[in-house]
mmCIF file of all heavy atoms in Angstrom:
data_model
loop_
_atom_site.group_PDB
_atom_site.id
_atom_site.type_symbol
_atom_site.label_atom_id
_atom_site.label_comp_id
_atom_site.label_asym_id
_atom_site.label_seq_id
_atom_site.Cartn_x
_atom_site.Cartn_y
_atom_site.Cartn_z
ATOM 1 N N LYS A 1018 -15.246 19.417 3.858
ATOM 2 C CA LYS A 1018 -15.879 20.733 3.744
ATOM 3 C C LYS A 1018 -17.222 20.622 3.012
ATOM 4 O O LYS A 1018 -18.196 21.281 3.376
ATOM 5 C CB LYS A 1018 -14.966 21.698 2.977
ATOM 6 C CG LYS A 1018 -13.825 22.234 3.805
ATOM 7 C CD LYS A 1018 -13.109 23.319 3.032
ATOM 8 C CE LYS A 1018 -11.818 23.721 3.712
ATOM 9 N NZ LYS A 1018 -10.956 24.518 2.859
ATOM 10 N N LEU A 1019 -17.236 19.786 1.989
ATOM 11 C CA LEU A 1019 -18.467 19.610 1.229
ATOM 12 C C LEU A 1019 -19.562 18.995 2.118
ATOM 13 O O LEU A 1019 -20.721 19.398 2.057
ATOM 14 C CB LEU A 1019 -18.203 18.723 0.001
ATOM 15 C CG LEU A 1019 -19.351 18.587 -0.991
ATOM 16 C CD1 LEU A 1019 -19.715 19.930 -1.612
ATOM 17 C CD2 LEU A 1019 -18.981 17.604 -2.107
ATOM 18 N N ALA A 1032 -31.869 25.051 -2.033
ATOM 19 C CA ALA A 1032 -30.466 24.885 -1.617
ATOM 20 C C ALA A 1032 -29.521 24.656 -2.796
ATOM 21 O O ALA A 1032 -28.315 24.856 -2.665
ATOM 22 C CB ALA A 1032 -30.361 23.716 -0.644
ATOM 23 N N GLU A 1050 -17.885 14.226 -10.261
ATOM 24 C CA GLU A 1050 -18.158 13.439 -9.055
ATOM 25 C C GLU A 1050 -18.846 14.293 -7.985
ATOM 26 O O GLU A 1050 -19.678 13.804 -7.223
ATOM 27 C CB GLU A 1050 -16.845 12.839 -8.511
ATOM 28 C CG GLU A 1050 -15.880 13.888 -8.034
ATOM 29 C CD GLU A 1050 -14.443 13.396 -7.883
ATOM 30 O OE1 GLU A 1050 -13.810 13.118 -8.913
ATOM 31 O OE2 GLU A 1050 -13.978 13.306 -6.744
ATOM 32 N N GLY A 1099 -7.502 45.595 -29.612
ATOM 33 C CA GLY A 1099 -7.791 44.539 -28.631
ATOM 34 C C GLY A 1099 -7.505 43.136 -29.167
ATOM 35 O O GLY A 1099 -7.013 42.278 -28.445
ATOM 36 N N GLU A 1109 1.304 33.541 -26.025
ATOM 37 C CA GLU A 1109 2.140 33.392 -24.819
ATOM 38 C C GLU A 1109 1.682 32.224 -23.957
ATOM 39 O O GLU A 1109 2.489 31.508 -23.388
ATOM 40 C CB GLU A 1109 2.087 34.678 -23.981
ATOM 41 C CG GLU A 1109 2.814 35.856 -24.579
ATOM 42 C CD GLU A 1109 4.339 35.709 -24.520
ATOM 43 O OE1 GLU A 1109 4.844 35.198 -23.511
ATOM 44 O OE2 GLU A 1109 4.991 36.111 -25.498
ATOM 45 N N THR A 1124 -6.378 31.351 -16.789
ATOM 46 C CA THR A 1124 -7.514 31.081 -17.671
ATOM 47 C C THR A 1124 -7.706 32.339 -18.507
ATOM 48 O O THR A 1124 -7.653 33.457 -17.976
ATOM 49 C CB THR A 1124 -8.797 30.797 -16.850
ATOM 50 O OG1 THR A 1124 -8.597 29.597 -16.113
ATOM 51 C CG2 THR A 1124 -10.013 30.630 -17.755
#
Side-chain angles (χ1 to χ4, degrees):
K1018 283 188 190 166
L1019 187 62
E1050 65 197 69
E1109 289 288 322
T1124 295

